[in-house]
Amino acid sequence: MNPWIMTLALLASLSGFAYFSHKKLSILFKLQPENRWKNVGSRLKHVLSLGILQTRMLKGEFKAGLMHLVVFYGFSALLIRKIQLFIIGYQPYFTYPDAIGGPYAAVKDFIELAVILAVSYGLYRRIVTKPARLEPNKEAYLILSLIMTIMVTDFLYDGFKFALYADEWPGLAHEQHWAFIGGSLAHAFSGFSDSVLTIGYQLSYWIQIATVLAFLVIIPMGEHFHIVTALPTLFFSNQSTTNIVPKVDLEALFSEDGGDEEPKVGIRTAADFSWKEGLDAFTCTECGRCKTSCPTFLTDKPLSLKWVHDGVKHHLLDQRQTIMNSEDAGSELPALVGDVFSEDTLWACTTCGYCEWSCPIGLELLPKIYGMRQHKVMMDSEFPAELQDAFSNYERQGNPWGLNSATRGDWAKDLDVPLLESAEQAKDLDYLFYVGSGQSFDNRNQKVAVAFVKVLQAAGVKFAILGASEGSTGECVRRAGNEMLFQELAQTLVETLNGYEVTKIVTCDPHAYNSLKNEYPEFGGQYKVYHHTEVIDQFIRNGQIKVNQSFEKVIYHEPCYIARHNNIYDQPRNILASVTKDEPLEFSMNREKALCCGAGGARMWMEETIGTRINSHRVGQALESSPKIIATACPYCTVMMTDGVADHKKEEEIVVKDIAELVADALIEVAS
C-alpha cells in the first residue's frame, strides 16, 4: 500500500467533510437562541431509546425499521474494520491480536452479510414495491450503492488477501480460519496466478477505501447528514409531540422600551427560526414516515413534515450569504409564507401531531406552523376569511358561534346540575365539569354533556358547572395564531377558576383538556385535569357504576388531543369493552397511528377545498370494518365523523356516539 496516497486521500476526504459540514452548521449559530438543556437525564434516555435502540423506527414500520437497524448497527460495528484498513495503508501487514482479530473476523463477515441483505431489501422497496411515502430520490440509490460496494469489496479484499498472504503471514492465517466468507473466497481464488491475485487485492482495497472516503464527503452534502446530527437532534428534541403553543410575550411586544425597532412576533423569515429548527431541517432523513398517517398528505393537501423541512433546508442554504453576513438578515430575507411555503400549506395543518410522533429522530413541525401563523395573524392580519368570523365571535361572546354567553349553561336546565358559586362550595366538589363551547352551544354535542351528567350522577360524585360564568379556553384561536385573543380568554378563565379555588377539572373536550392541563400553568392555572374517559373508566373499575354490554360492532375513532398529545389510549377501549357484546373493532390506523378527524388546529372553522375531505377519508377507513357505531370522545370528532358518515350516505346504517352517550345508555344501576 502507498502511505502517501492514503495520507492525501484522507486529507482530501476530511477536508471535504469539514467544509460541507461547516457550510450547514455555521448557519445555525446565526439563528435565534433557544435553551434546550433542561432535563438532561431524560434527554439521554430519549437518545438511548430512539437513537441507539431505534424503538420508534421498529414500532412505526417493522420491516423497514429492521432494515435500518441492521445498517446502523452494521456500520457502527464495522468502524473497527475501517480503522484496520486505514492502518494497513501505512502498515500493510497489520492485524489485530489473535484473541480479538479471529472472533472479530467472523463477526465482521456475519455483519457484512446482514448489511448486504438489508441494502438489497432497501433497493427492492424503492424499485419494486415503491411505498407512497418514499419519493424518487437519486441520493438514496447512490448511498445504498456505496454501502453495497463497501461490503462486497471487503469480502473480495479478504479473499484475495488470504489467498496471497495467509501462508506467510501468521496473523492472516488466524483471521482466515474465522472469516467464513473471506476464507471461502480465498479457497475459490487459490487457483489464480499471483499477478491476478495481486491486482484483485489492490483493486478491492483501493476501491473500498475510495468509496468509504467518498461516502464521508457525501454525508454532509445531503439528507444523510443525519448520520452526524441525528443523535444530537434527538437529545435536544421535545421528547413528545408539541402540545404547547410557543407563548408570545405580549408585555414585551407592547412595551414602550422597544425603541424604533419593529416588534417581532412569530416567524416571518428564516432569521426568526431557532437554531434547533434549523438543525431539524438539516437532519431530516426524508424517510417519509411522517406521511403514513398524515391527514393532509393522505387527502392531497400540500403539507407534510418532510416537505416543510426540505423547503427550510434549501431556503437556508440558498440564503446562507445573507444570513451569515447581514447584521439584520430578517429585513433582507424574503417572507417564508409566499416565498417558501404557500398559504395553503400553512393553513392545512390540523396539528394532530402524527408527524412528530412518527419521526424516528424526533423532528418538530408544529412550532414552525404556530410561529408562522402567529406572524400572519398578529402582524400581517392575513388569514383565511372564515377565521375572521370565529375571532370576532370569540371576542364578543367567548364562543365561535357568537351565541349569547349568558345562555352557556342553558343546556343543563332541568338536570339538577349545581352551579359553582363560591370557593367554599368548590372545596366539597370531586370535580368541576368544564363543559366548553362545543357542548354548551352545539345541539348535537349538548346531548353528550347531558349523557355525561347522567354518568356523574349515577357514580355519586359531587360536581358542578360554571354555567354563564364559564369562559372559553381559547385553544382554537391560539392554534390559529391569534395569541393575543387566546391570552385574553385564558386570563379571564384563570381568574374565574382561581377565584373559586378550583383544583380538579373534568371535561369531555380533548382540546380544552390539553390546554387546561399543559398550557394554563404558564398563565397561573394549576389544576388536576381529567378527560371524561379517564373518570368513566375509573367509575367502572371501582364499581361506582355498572353497565350492560348493550352494543355491538363498535369502532373507536381516536381523538388526537387525548391520544398522541396526551397518551390516553387504554381508558376509552376499556370502557367500550365493558359496554359491547363483542370485541370492539379497530381502524387499520389506530392508537398512535390513528388518522385525525380534520378539525384540529382551527380547521373546524375553515372550509376544506383541496383534495379529499379528511373526515370523509377517515369514515371510509371505518367502513372497511362494517361498524354499526363509530364511537369517539371529542365534540369536534363527533361533528366531523357525523358529517363524514353523511358524506358516504350511511346515516341509516351507522351512528356516531360519544363514549359518554354509550355508557349513559348502558347504565343499569348504581353500585351499593
Side-chain angles (χ1 to χ4, degrees):
M1 304 307 175
N2 191 315
W4 286 105
I5 294 176
M6 177 61 74
T7 300
L8 291 173
L10 278 170
L11 288 174
S13 178
L14 292 172
S15 297
F17 175 82
Y19 171 77
F20 290 113
S21 296
H22 177 265
K23 189 175 181 181
K24 287 183 175 179
L25 296 179
S26 59
I27 296 175
L28 304 184
F29 291 97
K30 291 291 186 176
L31 301 181
Q32 298 300 313
E34 184 179 8
N35 183 1
R36 292 271 183 153
W37 287 100
K38 294 180 180 178
N39 304 316
V40 171
S42 64
R43 291 183 181 280
L44 290 173
K45 290 180 182 178
H46 195 59
V47 171
L48 175 63
S49 175
L50 270 62
I52 306 302
L53 301 179
Q54 303 203 2
T55 53
R56 185 174 290 175
M57 185 76 75
L58 292 169
K59 189 174 184 180
E61 190 176 330
F62 182 76
K63 289 183 180 178
L66 181 61
M67 173 195 72
H68 190 275
L69 192 72
V70 169
V71 174
F72 171 76
Y73 281 128
F75 254 70
S76 300
L78 292 174
L79 286 175
I80 299 172
R81 170 62 161 182
K82 302 315 163 196
I83 292 172
Q84 181 186 21
L85 291 175
F86 286 122
I87 294 174
I88 286 171
Y90 297 93
Q91 299 180 27
Y93 301 106
F94 173 78
T95 58
Y96 289 119
D98 287 355
I100 298 172
Y104 179 71
V107 171
K108 176 194 74 70
D109 277 11
F110 175 79
I111 290 173
E112 289 181 338
L113 179 61
V115 171
I116 286 174
L117 293 174
V119 170
S120 298
Y121 177 66
L123 289 168
Y124 171 79
R125 292 177 72 247
R126 288 190 172 273
I127 297 171
V128 181
T129 60
K130 298 180 180 179
R133 69 177 175 86
L134 293 179
E135 300 170 23
N137 188 326
K138 293 180 180 178
E139 183 181 340
Y141 289 113
L142 173 62
I143 295 297
L144 289 172
S145 299
L146 291 177
I147 294 172
M148 184 71 80
T149 299
I150 293 169
M151 300 302 116
V152 171
T153 53
D154 199 49
F155 282 141
L156 292 174
Y157 169 72
D158 270 355
F160 288 120
K161 178 179 65 175
F162 293 149
L164 266 176
Y165 302 119
D167 290 341
E168 57 187 80
W169 190 353
L172 275 186
H174 184 69
E175 275 190 18
Q176 181 178 359
H177 174 75
W178 286 84
F180 57 94
I181 293 180
S184 298
L185 288 174
H187 288 300
F189 296 160
S190 60
F192 294 158
S193 65
D194 285 354
S195 60
V196 171
L197 292 174
T198 300
I199 292 171
Y201 170 63
Q202 292 285 343
L203 280 176
S204 58
Y205 176 81
W206 286 110
I207 289 174
Q208 181 177 181
I209 291 297
T211 305
V212 169
L213 295 180
F215 193 94
L216 189 62
V217 176
I218 291 170
I219 283 174
M221 295 175 65
E223 69 197 52
H224 285 80
F225 196 37
H226 74 267
I227 294 173
V228 177
T229 58
L231 295 184
T233 301
L234 272 171
F235 177 83
F236 291 116
S237 73
N238 279 334
Q239 304 178 58
S240 64
T241 59
T242 303
N243 56 20
I244 300 175
V245 175
K247 182 181 179 181
V248 175
D249 188 345
L250 297 181
E251 186 176 341
L253 178 64
F254 294 112
S255 172
E256 296 180 359
D257 299 332
D260 296 329
E261 290 186 13
E262 182 180 348
K264 292 184 178 181
V265 174
I267 297 171
R268 188 185 79 87
T269 71
D272 297 321
F273 283 135
S274 70
W275 64 266
K276 175 59 169 57
E277 288 169 323
L279 180 62
D280 280 1
F282 289 140
T283 305
C284 180
T285 69
E286 301 188 25
C287 66
R289 285 172 178 258
C290 53
K291 301 175 184 176
T292 54
S293 282
C294 171
T296 56
F297 175 77
L298 293 178
T299 57
D300 301 317
K301 275 79 170 174
L303 172 68
S304 76
L305 178 144
K306 185 263 182 190
W307 292 340
V308 168
H309 283 142
D310 198 43
V312 172
K313 174 179 67 177
H314 290 295
H315 182 66
L316 288 174
L317 291 173
D318 290 343
Q319 299 294 332
R320 183 179 186 278
Q321 186 172 354
T322 300
I323 294 171
M324 296 299 296
N325 299 330
S326 175
E327 293 184 4
D328 185 17
S331 64
E332 299 180 31
L333 292 169
L336 290 164
V337 180
D339 189 77
V340 181
F341 307 115
S342 69
E343 296 275 353
D344 289 330
T345 294
L346 175 63
W347 295 106
C349 184
T350 68
T351 70
C352 73
Y354 175 76
C355 58
E356 295 186 343
W357 175 86
S358 64
C359 181
I361 48 179
L363 304 186
E364 299 153 22
L365 171 71
L366 296 183
K368 296 180 181 67
I369 295 293
Y370 293 141
M372 288 187 285
R373 286 183 178 184
Q374 286 169 347
H375 186 86
K376 296 300 290 183
V377 171
M378 297 177 66
M379 300 304 294
D380 295 343
S381 296
E382 296 176 2
F383 44 86
E386 307 98 313
L387 287 179
Q388 182 59 65
D389 288 338
F391 291 160
S392 297
N393 289 335
Y394 273 111
E395 288 171 355
R396 291 186 295 106
Q397 295 292 347
N399 67 80
W401 295 278
L403 297 173
N404 188 347
S405 60
T407 66
R408 186 177 273 269
D410 286 2
W411 63 273
K413 287 180 178 178
D414 306 322
L415 293 179
D416 194 27
V417 176
L419 289 176
L420 181 59
E421 297 176 332
S422 69
E424 192 65 28
Q425 179 190 359
K427 292 178 182 178
D428 294 330
L429 296 181
D430 294 304
Y431 304 100
L432 170 74
F433 175 22
Y434 178 82
V435 184
S437 297
Q439 293 181 349
S440 295
F441 296 107
D442 177 65
N443 291 335
R444 172 63 188 89
N445 278 299
Q446 285 175 349
K447 297 176 182 178
V448 179
V450 171
F452 185 51
V453 164
K454 183 178 178 181
V455 174
L456 289 171
Q457 290 172 336
V461 298
K462 294 180 179 180
F463 71 99
I465 64 173
L466 290 169
S469 65
E470 180 186 275
S472 170
T473 62
E475 178 275 343
C476 172
V477 297
R478 186 175 217 197
R479 279 155 182 77
N482 196 336
E483 179 74 4
M484 185 182 300
L485 177 54
F486 163 75
Q487 290 194 24
E488 290 176 4
L489 293 168
Q491 288 164 3
T492 300
L493 183 54
V494 166
E495 287 174 6
T496 300
L497 295 172
N498 289 356
Y500 288 126
E501 299 180 14
V502 170
T503 57
K504 292 175 68 175
I505 299 173
V506 64
T507 180
C508 302
D509 183 352
H511 299 265
Y513 168 86
N514 180 73
S515 279
L516 290 167
K517 178 181 178 180
N518 299 315
E519 296 185 315
Y520 269 49
E522 195 170 14
F523 298 92
Q526 301 283 346
Y527 320 111
K528 292 181 179 179
V529 187
Y530 303 89
H531 188 252
H532 73 306
T533 56
E534 293 180 289
V535 299
I536 293 174
D537 178 47
Q538 185 181 41
F539 293 159
I540 294 174
R541 286 188 290 107
N542 292 347
Q544 288 175 262
I545 60 174
K546 291 186 178 180
V547 290
N548 269 321
Q549 293 179 316
S550 305
F551 308 100
E552 58 185 359
K553 303 198 76 173
V554 179
I555 193 167
Y556 175 54
H557 164 72
E558 213 103 36
C560 305
Y561 271 80
I562 59 167
R564 276 188 295 270
H565 283 306
N566 285 287
N567 297 307
I568 298 176
Y569 293 103
D570 295 331
Q571 295 93 325
R573 289 174 168 80
N574 294 341
I575 297 168
L576 291 179
S578 299
V579 299
T580 52
K581 301 173 185 177
D582 52 3
E583 184 177 349
L585 304 172
E586 289 278 9
F587 283 85
S588 56
M589 291 182 176
N590 61 67
R591 299 185 74 91
E592 293 91 343
K593 300 179 185 178
L595 189 71
C596 176
C597 75
R603 288 298 319 177
M604 183 76 176
W605 316 111
M606 290 182 265
E607 291 297 324
E608 194 172 350
T609 59
I610 300 174
T612 308
R613 294 183 67 84
I614 295 171
N615 60 342
S616 181
H617 188 87
R618 182 58 166 166
V619 170
Q621 293 178 341
L623 295 180
E624 296 171 4
S625 301
S626 302
K628 292 182 179 179
I629 299 172
I630 298 177
T632 188
C634 170
Y636 287 0
C637 293
T638 300
V639 172
M640 297 299 279
M641 292 295 98
T642 300
D643 289 349
V645 169
D647 194 47
H648 284 272
K649 303 186 186 313
K650 295 289 184 179
E651 301 98 316
E652 295 183 4
E653 302 170 32
I654 302 172
V655 295
V656 178
K657 292 278 189 178
D658 188 279
I659 284 176
E661 294 178 291
L662 297 177
V663 173
D665 289 344
L667 284 171
I668 54 176
E669 65 178 270
V670 179
S672 58

